[in-house]
Amino acid sequence: MSVSHPVFARVFARASVAMDRAGAAEHRRRLVAGLTGRVVEVGAGNGRMFPHYPPTVAEVLAVEPEPRLRAAAHAAAADAPVPVTVVAGLAEALPAADATADAVVLSLVLCSVPDQAVALLEARRVLRPGGQLRFYEHVVAETPGLRRAQRWADATIWPAVCGGCHTGRDTVGAIGAAGFTVVELDRFRFPPTGIPVPASPHVLGTAMRP
């Protein structure tokens, strides 16, 4: 139940602060706005999502496989506005019972899971019928030039230096293939300025388990 990426974990800890200052904090706030009840957060990282959960959330089960990031998430949970329990676990084998979550939150994690389809089926398993899948991910580009850059990055050094991240996954398509109905979807570039890079195309949305 452990995935060790010590170099990436150290880099991500610093990069996530810069990302939040550049606008990711607002994306995180939008991602969890209006949630209620019991939430399972998959790939909690260093806990940057925790401050944004609204008081209507009863509890958060935060799953993180990387030991260094998980330790940082434990520390962040102490200051969270809602009860957060941080546990070891994999997206493909969530430590939660069937149909026990009102929402599953996925934030910048589906790019790096070894098996995206299995991870999404696990999210569907733990959601109650009618539950929400909230997702904030970088995805395959809509323009041919950037898609070529993504294929090159994913076939060379990007996954090795970015903790298994792949930039060109059709995550929205995979969510639909897993049996979810996408009801809200916002596509945007992040960072919003500068030259687009392979990880620039982002989506933020909501899908429902029928």
Side-chain angles (χ1 to χ4, degrees):
M1 290 294 189
S2 178
V3 177
S4 182
H5 294 294
V7 175
F8 172 75
R10 288 194 292 271
V11 172
F12 180 79
R14 294 190 294 270
S16 61
V17 175
M19 288 168 58
D20 278 3
R21 289 173 178 164
E26 175 60 17
H27 300 325
R28 297 183 200 276
R29 185 199 64 78
R30 288 175 55 203
L31 180 64
V32 298
L35 288 182
T36 61
R38 187 170 189 264
V39 175
V40 175
E41 182 179 338
V42 183
N46 55 349
R48 299 294 294 184
M49 185 69 69
F50 300 166
H52 302 288
Y53 281 106
T56 46
V57 168
E59 60 178 326
V60 177
L61 178 68
V63 182
E64 173 53 51
E66 212 291 322
R68 291 159 185 81
L69 292 176
R70 189 168 62 251
H74 272 295
D79 296 321
V82 299
V84 177
T85 302
V86 179
V87 298
L90 302 175
E92 297 91 341
L94 293 174
D98 295 359
T100 53
D102 297 293
V104 170
V105 171
L106 298 162
S107 175
L108 304 176
V109 64
L110 289 176
C111 60
S112 60
V113 295
D115 195 322
Q116 194 179 65
V118 172
L120 286 165
L121 289 175
E122 270 293 274
R124 191 173 189 272
R125 177 186 66 79
V126 303
L127 271 175
R128 63 169 176 79
Q132 297 185 42
L133 182 78
R134 298 283 187 96
F135 54 95
Y136 167 42
E137 300 285 345
H138 63 80
V139 295
V140 64
E142 295 185 288
T143 57
L146 194 50
R147 281 201 299 271
R148 286 194 294 272
Q150 289 178 327
R151 287 195 294 270
W152 180 87
D154 291 350
T156 56
I157 195 171
W158 195 284
V161 301
C162 295
C165 170
H166 292 76
T167 63
R169 288 182 172 177
D170 180 12
T171 297
V172 177
I175 289 170
F180 291 98
T181 301
V182 177
V183 294
E184 294 182 20
L185 184 65
D186 182 18
R187 292 184 181 271
F188 54 93
R189 198 179 92 184
F190 183 81
T193 59
I195 298 173
V197 298
S200 293
H202 280 60
V203 293
L204 194 156
T206 301
M208 306 294 292
R209 177 189 168 180

